[in-house]
Amino acid sequence: MTLPSVTLAWIALLGLSAATVLVTTGGTGHFSPALFGGLLLLLAFIKARIILSRYLGLWQAPAWLSGFSWVIGFFCLLLLVLYVAPGLSP
């Protein structure tokens, strides 16, 4: 018996949420602020891709999934730059 893709997506989201909790409980005490922000945004990006792909059914429309992934990726990159930028000023 194989699990439906939505069930596997749900299990993956649970694991990624647990990873997010582990990263945030470690806080910036164990990571540099840039790495901390980058890890959180990477986990958020992966979770967004799973939701778009499996829950919204965009796995059936790869061009749309790719477009949404690019937009979300650029948005996450912009957020990371805005998060790190104040620490770069002299």
Side-chain angles (χ1 to χ4, degrees):
M1 179 173 102
T2 61
L3 294 173
S5 64
V6 174
T7 304
L8 291 175
W10 181 73
I11 292 169
L13 288 171
L14 281 176
L16 290 167
S17 294
T20 302
V21 169
L22 291 174
V23 169
T24 56
T25 56
T28 56
H30 298 288
F31 304 114
S32 69
L35 181 60
F36 178 73
L39 282 173
L40 289 179
L41 286 170
L42 178 64
L43 290 168
F45 175 76
I46 295 169
K47 291 191 310 189
R49 285 256 322 165
I50 290 172
I51 291 168
L52 286 170
S53 176
R54 293 300 165 187
Y55 286 103
L56 296 180
L58 289 182
W59 62 273
Q60 297 172 341
W64 281 94
L65 180 60
S66 176
F68 275 111
S69 296
W70 277 100
V71 170
I72 292 171
F74 282 129
F75 183 69
C76 286
L77 187 61
L78 174 67
L79 289 177
L80 182 61
V81 168
L82 290 174
Y83 178 73
V84 174
L88 297 176
S89 62

